[in-house]
Amino acid sequence: NAGVTQTPKFQVLKTGQSMTLQCAQDMNHEYMSWYRQDPGMGLRLIHYSVGAGITDQGEVPNGYNVSRSTTEDFPLRLLSAAPSQTSVYFCASSGDRAGEKLFFGSGTQLSVL
Amino acid sequence: QKEVEQDPGPLSVPEGAIVSLNCTYSNSAFQYFMWYRQYSRKGPELLMYTYSSGNKEDGRFTAQVDKSSKYISLFIRDSQPSDSATYLCAMSGIQGAQKLVFGQGTRLTINP
């Protein structure tokens, strides 16, 4: 039972490069989300989705894009990486209607030079 | 002022001690309250979930919510070295996870 799987675990980018962080869940959860975690800032919501084909912005969406073509997958795209996007990124999913009971992946440590 | 305030610690206690972790908040619309535990280099995992005011107990863990004071607590009894982790409070209103706000986390170490 894999739960929420994130790849890669570590990534180093140069400023201006683009990349996609992958997230997949095998629990048939409708709700999925992306958070970033920075020291002293806690977890901040980037984007979320309440089902396939439906996405919306969270607290800090600038510089990121998402899509949800299937229930299982919710990739996060960095369009043009900036040093301010250096962070740990977590994908999460939830099976309850309001989505508070989140299951998190193990995270992606991203450094932008 | 942040919507949710949590003392980042670090907090270090001896094994067997009772640990008290706390968060205060300013948004009176919050009604769902959670505690997540995060081990080093891992994702957070849901530890406790409560709705509205009151207490909830699960083994050695007790969550308390005092909505009149806008204050929530997590108590850990008979603390173990395996409880060493960062504990994050989180809360939301009727919008659910779309407006889920996390505290910055308290780093806890239990010394054998």
Side-chain angles (χ1 to χ4, degrees):
Chain A
N1 195 4
V4 179
T5 302
Q6 288 185 239
T7 56
K9 293 189 182 300
F10 302 96
Q11 184 70 48
V12 178
L13 293 177
K14 294 181 179 178
T15 297
Q17 287 185 317
S18 62
M19 77 158 296
T20 299
L21 307 184
Q22 302 291 344
C23 176
Q25 52 92 8
D26 61 359
M27 297 174 282
N28 201 32
H29 287 170
E30 291 294 330
Y31 182 89
M32 296 186 73
S33 55
W34 277 101
Y35 287 86
R36 59 177 289 172
Q37 186 174 37
D38 303 291
M41 301 292 291
L43 286 156
R44 292 183 292 168
L45 182 63
I46 304 172
H47 284 285
Y48 65 93
S49 169
V50 297
I54 306 169
T55 63
D56 206 346
Q57 297 179 352
E59 179 186 357
V60 287
N62 292 341
Y64 308 95
N65 270 359
V66 292
S67 60
R68 185 94 179 269
S69 56
T70 67
T71 299
E72 294 78 19
D73 300 298
F74 190 44
L76 178 73
R77 297 182 188 85
L78 278 71
L79 308 174
S80 177
S84 60
Q85 293 179 305
T86 293
S87 187
V88 181
Y89 291 84
F90 289 100
C91 178
S93 73
S94 177
D96 55 284
R97 182 191 60 80
E100 303 97 350
K101 298 178 183 178
L102 294 167
F103 289 83
F104 284 86
S106 57
T108 296
Q109 174 82 56
L110 175 68
S111 295
V112 182
L113 306 177
Chain B
Q1 183 184 1
K2 293 181 181 179
E3 274 191 295
V4 178
E5 298 278 358
Q6 183 176 9
D7 187 339
L11 181 62
S12 182
V13 302
E15 183 177 354
I18 297 174
V19 177
S20 172
L21 304 170
N22 311 295
C23 288
T24 59
Y25 62 96
S26 57
N27 189 342
S28 58
F30 288 150
Q31 52 185 323
Y32 300 97
F33 303 91
M34 289 134 275
W35 286 94
Y36 285 83
R37 178 175 61 194
Q38 185 176 21
Y39 291 114
S40 181
R41 301 185 184 278
K42 299 290 186 182
E45 57 178 338
L46 182 64
L47 190 61
M48 299 289 282
Y49 174 90
T50 54
Y51 170 71
S52 194
S53 286
N55 294 357
K56 184 173 183 178
E57 188 173 322
D58 184 0
R60 296 183 296 109
F61 298 90
T62 299
Q64 286 186 353
V65 175
D66 183 347
K67 291 189 71 178
S68 62
S69 301
K70 296 189 179 66
Y71 189 88
I72 70 170
S73 301
L74 178 70
F75 297 96
I76 307 174
R77 294 184 300 278
D78 187 24
S79 55
Q80 303 295 310
S82 59
D83 296 327
S84 298
T86 296
Y87 290 80
L88 303 111
C89 63
M91 49 198 78
S92 66
I94 58 173
Q95 302 99 325
Q98 289 90 320
K99 296 294 184 182
L100 186 63
V101 181
F102 282 86
Q104 61 180 314
T106 299
R107 187 174 175 183
L108 173 67
T109 300
I110 309 297
N111 301 301

